[in-house]
Amino acid sequence: MPSTVLGALLALASALIWGSGDFAGGQASRRAQSMHVLIAGGSAGLIMMIVLAAVWREGVPDAPSLGYGALAGLTGLLGLSLLYYGLSRGAASVVAPVSTVVAQAIPVLYVALGEGLPAPSQLIGFALAAVGSILVSRSAAPGAAASRRASVITGVVSGLGFGAFLIAIGWTNERHLFGSLASARATMIAAALAIVLVTRSRVSAAAFTPVAFLSGVLDALGNALYLVAKQFTRLDIAVVLSSLYPVSTIILSRIFLKEDIAPVQWGGIAVCAVAVALIVA
């Protein structure tokens, strides 16, 4: 199997795991505040990364990897917190697709400036992946609780955070994969705890549930698969394919919660499938 194909498959596996983690996190957030669920899940993911780093005998990450990991943790928290903020204001139909597309675009532009553009068919695949992500992320009922302009701004800044996370975590040393992710996770938890303390929000025990822990473990595993995928293919390809995680989230919602998938979302899934074929070909 060509290395680029293997990298694409690993990126798609990352999307599947990330989407599953978002689904679990969404379920956990029904019983507790999202920031508290993030702390609980992040703690579980941190423990898993430390254990895996010990099993693989990675040793202590070098200073640059620790620094880039910390930067990734901060930018990742920015993306997540603003995404949750937008969702809490009933603006999912605007914030989610804008955040996803911006998160894809930032690394793609970064790679284009440093390595040049990929093949024309892959560029078309990137464009279709952006369109498919928008369609998949559209909710049946548009949110009216927040102004459209504010929702777009929230989505853009959230996407900038996610895009910066994907770039920063990619700068870490491949020999310290799990240790770098542990650094990112620890920084994210510390920053989230600082926010909780500043806002004087009491962390509820309801956030520390098996589903919350599962969300953190899946998110950390998705991060690891993304970093491995990046070793076998271009960063922009790994980013775009791994960013198709909303597909698995809505499919799981259909399977376990019996939620209806709108026709426009089915169309988005089809567009994403075509995008994957063009990117991998």
Side-chain angles (χ1 to χ4, degrees):
M1 179 184 297
S3 60
T4 54
V5 175
L6 176 59
L9 291 176
L10 288 168
L12 289 172
S14 173
L16 174 62
I17 299 300
W18 267 338
S20 301
D22 283 352
F23 175 78
Q27 296 308 298
S29 296
R30 293 186 174 187
R31 298 183 178 181
Q33 293 184 29
S34 298
M35 190 65 70
H36 300 171
V37 172
L38 179 62
I39 293 172
S43 300
L46 172 61
I47 293 172
M48 185 180 75
M49 290 298 102
I50 293 175
V51 170
L52 289 176
V55 171
W56 258 261
R57 299 181 180 179
E58 287 187 348
V60 179
D62 53 34
S65 292
L66 288 174
Y68 292 138
L71 176 61
L74 290 175
T75 54
L77 179 62
L78 173 66
L80 277 175
S81 59
L82 284 177
L83 177 63
Y84 287 155
Y85 171 76
L87 298 181
S88 69
R89 290 174 59 83
S93 61
V94 176
V95 174
V98 170
S99 175
T100 300
V101 171
V102 172
Q104 292 174 342
I106 297 303
V108 168
L109 291 174
Y110 168 78
V111 175
L113 292 174
E115 302 179 20
L117 296 173
S121 61
Q122 292 176 322
L123 280 175
I124 297 174
F126 289 174
L128 289 178
V131 173
S133 298
I134 292 174
L135 297 177
V136 168
S137 300
R138 296 289 294 182
S139 61
S147 71
R148 185 174 183 85
R149 180 179 179 183
S151 299
V152 170
I153 293 174
T154 300
V156 168
V157 180
S158 172
L160 289 173
F162 286 132
F165 167 84
L166 293 169
I167 293 174
I169 200 65
W171 287 337
T172 57
N173 193 320
E174 296 175 356
R175 293 177 300 175
H176 300 294
L177 186 151
F178 298 117
S180 300
L181 289 174
S183 173
R185 191 71 44 177
T187 304
M188 180 180 290
I189 294 171
L193 285 172
I195 293 173
V196 168
L197 290 174
V198 170
T199 57
R200 297 182 180 180
S201 173
R202 183 174 179 272
V203 178
S204 171
F208 293 81
T209 63
V211 177
F213 296 146
L214 177 62
S215 69
V217 168
L218 290 174
D219 182 61
L221 180 58
N223 291 342
L225 287 171
Y226 162 73
L227 282 183
V228 176
K230 186 188 68 65
Q231 298 176 20
F232 293 96
T233 190
R234 286 169 56 108
L235 175 65
D236 49 4
I237 292 177
V239 165
V240 172
L241 291 179
S242 62
S243 296
L244 298 178
Y245 57 85
V247 173
S248 58
T249 302
I250 67 166
I251 290 177
L252 288 173
S253 297
R254 173 60 180 171
I255 294 173
F256 292 101
L257 304 179
K258 309 303 180 184
E259 293 184 359
D260 292 332
I261 299 178
V264 67
Q265 292 177 307
W266 281 118
I269 292 174
V271 171
C272 287
V274 175
V276 169
L278 288 171
I279 294 171
V280 176

